[in-house]
Amino acid sequence: MKRLLIILIASSIFAACTKESLQQYSEKPRVYLSLRKDSLYSKFPLSTAGNIQIDYAPQKSAKQKDTLKLNIQVSGVAENADRVFVFERNTAAGTAVEGTDFDLLDKNFIIPAGKFNNSIRVVIYRSLNMAKVPVSFGYVLRANENFELGPDRDTTRFSSNSGIMNMIALKVTARDVLTKPANWDSFIANYFGVYSQVKHRFVIDVLPAPLSLPSTTSVSRMNTNRNNLRTALTKYNATHPEKLKDENGIEISF
């Protein structure tokens, strides 16, 4: 009798779970951005949930673009036909210029037949606009006849689990504005002279990356850095019609 009771209870639980699963999959599929922290956000450490921060300033001038790969994920079951999803510009997130500041490399917004995801690549150019002020743009997923929004019913909040960040909207901010190091006047100036943005950019391009000149850097290392900068500056001036000058028209020296 006891064994029969256990079997009946187990059967009822199984039936309930099966019914719940069927109800779950009968719901309209959901679409959302699913981004990995380790592969995306670790590359852009200033980023926060839903806001990718790209800082070109500390990178060498040769770095002229970066590419984001955004994973679009859907819930539910796979279909035997392509399903269109809506991924559109959110003008409230910024006014960066498409074609100048960024481009979408993939504009065919579909989940292919038999699949649960697709990706959208966005290239962010190191445009002249970013050297003046940060520029931003955003995209957002919208519900349509194929999909509801979000991994959860509450689509207004950011959710994170197992190293994955799920959301329905994304903002990208890119900048290329140099900031004077806090220890320039107290330490770096002893070797490189008066600060200017042109000089700072030259230092970044010549010295090994990532550039780090803490006040604890040894005298011998700073002297080597200065000698390397002087050699590079001599070469630059010999191969250009005008000697390198800063933003105030003053000739650069080290």
Side-chain angles (χ1 to χ4, degrees):
M1 185 67 180
K2 183 177 180 181
R3 184 178 178 184
L4 179 59
L5 181 60
I6 292 173
I7 293 173
L8 289 173
I9 292 173
S11 300
S12 64
I13 292 174
F14 177 77
C17 291
T18 303
K19 182 178 180 181
E20 183 180 347
S21 298
L22 290 172
Q23 287 176 341
Q24 179 180 350
Y25 285 109
S26 67
E27 293 178 356
K28 195 171 184 178
R30 295 178 175 274
V31 61
Y32 54 97
L33 285 157
S34 182
L35 309 179
R36 294 190 60 87
K37 294 181 190 177
D38 56 359
S39 60
L40 182 60
Y41 285 78
S42 60
K43 184 179 178 182
F44 307 109
L46 298 178
S47 301
T48 57
N51 193 339
I52 305 297
Q53 298 278 340
I54 299 175
D55 190 2
Y56 283 118
Q59 302 186 51
K60 295 186 180 296
S61 298
K63 178 77 171 181
Q64 287 296 306
K65 63 182 180 180
D66 220 323
T67 303
L68 300 177
K69 188 176 181 180
L70 308 176
N71 181 52
I72 307 295
Q73 188 75 31
V74 298
S75 65
V77 296
E79 298 287 346
N80 58 8
D82 292 347
R83 290 176 288 174
V84 174
F85 63 89
V86 179
F87 186 70
E88 64 183 25
R89 182 81 183 267
N90 178 13
T91 55
T95 57
V97 180
E98 188 170 359
T100 299
D101 300 317
F102 75 98
D103 265 322
L104 291 183
L105 299 183
D106 303 288
K107 298 185 178 181
N108 190 15
F109 304 144
I110 63 166
I111 301 298
K115 301 293 184 180
F116 296 93
N117 69 302
N118 203 350
S119 61
I120 296 174
R121 293 168 300 160
V122 185
V123 59
I124 297 91
Y125 303 114
R126 191 176 190 170
S127 68
L128 294 177
N129 297 333
M130 298 170 192
K132 301 173 184 177
V133 294
V135 301
S136 300
F137 64 92
Y139 276 84
V140 63
L141 291 163
R142 304 287 189 193
N144 67 353
E145 66 276 10
N146 295 317
F147 301 105
E148 296 291 350
L149 288 177
D152 306 304
R153 287 176 175 81
D154 180 4
T155 59
T156 61
R157 70 179 179 86
F158 160 77
S159 62
S160 173
N161 57 76
S162 303
I164 304 294
M165 297 205 286
N166 299 322
M167 61 200 72
I168 61 169
L170 187 74
K171 179 179 179 180
V172 179
T173 300
R175 66 189 303 277
D176 190 18
V177 181
L178 282 171
T179 302
K180 181 180 178 180
N183 68 337
W184 187 284
D185 292 337
S186 62
F187 175 69
I188 299 175
N190 296 328
Y191 302 92
F192 298 170
V194 177
Y195 179 85
S196 73
Q197 289 202 341
V198 174
K199 178 181 284 188
H200 192 179
R201 172 57 55 203
F202 191 81
V203 169
I204 290 171
D205 287 342
V206 171
L207 297 184
L211 180 64
S212 179
L213 298 171
S215 300
T216 54
T217 307
S218 68
V219 172
S220 61
R221 170 50 59 189
M222 291 302 293
N223 283 333
T224 297
N225 287 336
R226 178 170 56 190
N227 290 336
N228 290 339
L229 288 166
R230 285 174 173 173
T231 299
L233 181 62
T234 299
K235 182 178 180 180
Y236 177 94
N237 289 337
T239 55
H240 289 77
E242 291 187 6
K243 292 184 176 181
L244 184 63
K245 296 180 179 179
D246 67 17
E247 57 270 24
N248 300 310
I250 299 173
E251 187 177 325
I252 296 292
S253 64
F254 291 97

